[in-house]
Amino acid sequence: MTDKNLPAIRKQVTELVLAGSLEHAERAFAEAADTHGDLAVVEVLQELPPHVTALHMSGFDGGKMSLATLLVPPKQWAESLAYLAATWPDDMIEDDPERIAESLFAHIHGVVFGTEDEERRAELLKEASATDWGCTAFAILFSLAPKEVLEVAGEVISKGAYLTGQTASDNDIVPVAVALAQANEDGWDRALFELFPEFRHSADLADAEFSDDPDEEPEHLQRSTKELLYRLRKQVPTTRSGTGRERARRSIGTGIFG
């Protein structure tokens, strides 16, 4: 693809997305792919501002209809995740947080499992969980199925690198949790501790017991879906806040895949 074409397509897509014409933006992606190949779409996505990528991809709700869902570079997707929070209406966060979380799950699941390429899948998860907001996004998903996530935590501790993803639960959150634990141990730990902030060691978390009664007050502090949604909203990057990527420090986890 020539350098002359790239800025023109990028400008066209950006203007269409910001105008709310997502279907026309998708058509521009498709035409670029037909004329110049899939690499042209990848190059355009590499240069789009992350908030534009977030706006475009959020309109497809994780479905595979969008070329961006299938071709977005891992780093660009990770940077765009924070801006998804800016698309959520305040009244919906207050009144129906689970619906937003389910939409976020559809988005993340669609991107991660929209590919059969194991290397790309791992890279998507690594990049996303290398940011503060990415870990919060995964915690939002986990808040929909905390007991199932605890089961995965136990499997991670007991099986380590031999984790297979076979658990007693068929909840759709489980494959995402397992894939994250396999792709990035530190990102897995950080997402767990976003949801369960009292814990500082995943082995302790795996041993914790939670009641089956949804009306019973939990013994351990657990952030609600709503609280995590607002937490992600506050993590939308600014020029002052930097990239939000993980701090230079040793993992607070257990070295399970070391």
Side-chain angles (χ1 to χ4, degrees):
M1 182 175 181
T2 65
D3 291 340
K4 180 175 64 176
N5 290 323
L6 179 60
I9 297 174
R10 183 176 67 241
K11 182 174 184 292
Q12 179 189 21
V13 169
T14 299
E15 290 177 348
L16 287 169
V17 171
L18 293 179
S21 301
L22 302 188
E23 294 294 339
H24 290 91
E26 187 65 22
R27 192 176 305 159
F29 277 135
E31 290 172 357
D34 289 342
T35 304
H36 305 286
D38 287 351
L39 185 58
V41 178
V42 174
E43 290 180 7
V44 170
L45 287 165
Q46 284 176 331
E47 298 298 326
L48 282 182
H51 69 280
V52 174
T53 302
L55 278 172
H56 180 70
M57 296 182 72
S58 66
F60 292 90
D61 202 20
K64 297 180 183 180
M65 297 181 295
S66 172
L67 280 174
T69 300
L70 300 174
L71 299 174
V72 63
K75 186 176 185 299
Q76 278 64 38
W77 179 58
E79 297 297 333
S80 75
L81 274 176
Y83 294 91
L84 288 175
T87 69
W88 302 332
D90 289 339
D91 58 348
M92 186 174 289
I93 294 179
E94 280 295 320
D95 300 335
D96 201 357
E98 286 76 18
R99 182 178 173 187
I100 294 178
E102 288 167 359
S103 177
L104 180 63
F105 167 76
H107 171 79
I108 290 177
H109 190 279
V111 173
V112 172
F113 291 97
T115 176
E116 298 297 329
D117 184 341
E118 294 293 336
E119 284 190 21
R120 171 173 164 80
R121 186 177 293 176
E123 191 62 26
L124 286 162
L125 290 164
K126 284 179 184 176
E127 288 287 346
S129 59
T131 64
D132 294 336
W133 57 79
C135 291
T136 302
F138 285 115
I140 290 169
L141 306 193
F142 296 166
S143 73
L144 295 173
K147 287 183 66 65
E148 287 79 2
V149 169
L150 285 175
E151 182 184 350
V152 173
E155 292 291 304
V156 167
I157 295 302
S158 63
K159 296 181 180 178
Y162 299 99
L163 181 68
T164 63
Q166 299 297 319
T167 71
S169 172
D170 60 357
N171 190 291
D172 290 341
I173 302 294
V174 169
V176 177
V178 170
L180 177 59
Q182 291 174 327
N184 187 356
E185 175 190 350
D186 193 58
W188 159 250
D189 279 339
R190 292 173 69 205
L192 281 180
F193 304 142
E194 278 288 292
L195 179 58
F196 302 107
E198 285 186 346
F199 290 91
R200 289 296 177 267
H201 198 284
S202 50
D204 296 335
L205 181 57
D207 291 337
E209 293 186 3
F210 288 74
S211 172
D212 289 322
D213 184 356
D215 297 323
E216 185 175 327
E217 192 71 21
E219 181 182 348
H220 307 285
L221 177 63
Q222 174 186 327
R223 288 192 174 108
S224 68
T225 301
K226 182 189 297 186
E227 183 180 357
L228 288 164
L229 291 172
Y230 279 124
R231 190 169 172 82
L232 184 57
R233 172 75 65 81
K234 292 177 181 177
Q235 290 172 328
V236 174
T238 66
T239 54
R240 291 183 180 181
S241 63
T243 64
R245 291 191 168 265
E246 63 184 340
R247 314 296 188 247
R249 57 165 175 76
R250 293 182 62 83
S251 170
I252 53 180
T254 53
I256 52 175
F257 302 139

